[in-house]
């Protein structure tokens, strides 16, 4: 499952997603219509601060989610995030991604 997470002062970002019933939180920055993961927190593994170490990707779907404050196509968003995580798995603790089923 995926939900838009509440913004938190200790984790500044443009949009945050709670995945797998809150076992994982992924915080993104959006700039120039591109998204970049700045932090991902996993149950058991802890917080991986990855700002400026992950790739930029087009953010059309994330911009739509931020604007409408709802996720219309959960499956498509999860697939997008899984592809993004796979592209950046060396930075994002691949074993944690695998354990939390966040790779395609």
């Amino acid at each position: 499952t995926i939900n838009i997470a509440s913004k938190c002062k200790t984790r500044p970002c443009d949009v945050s997603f709670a995945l797998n019933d809150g076992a994982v939180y992924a915080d993104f920055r959006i700039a120039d219509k591109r998204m970049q993961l700045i932090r991902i927190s996993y149950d058991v593994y802890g917080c991986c601060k990855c700002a400026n170490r992950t790739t930029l990707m087009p953010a059309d779907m994330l911009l739509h989610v931020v604007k409408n404050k709802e996720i219309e196509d959960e499956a498509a968003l999860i697939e997008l995030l899984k592809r993004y995580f796979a592209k950046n798995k060396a930075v994002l603790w691949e074993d944690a991604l695998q354990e939390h089923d966040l790779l395609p």
Side-chain angles (χ1 to χ4, degrees), residues 10 18 21 24 34 40 55 69 73 76 80-81 83 87 91:
T10 59
D21 296 320
V24 178
R34 297 185 301 170
I40 188 166
T55 59
K69 296 184 172 103
D73 189 342
L80 172 78
L81 294 178
R83 286 193 314 269
K87 188 172 185 176
V91 176

Side-chain angles (χ1 to χ4, degrees), residues 46-62:
C47 182
C48 175
K49 295 178 182 173
C50 49
N52 301 318
R53 296 188 301 145
T54 54
T55 59
L56 294 165
M57 281 184 59
D60 296 336
M61 187 177 289
L62 266 64

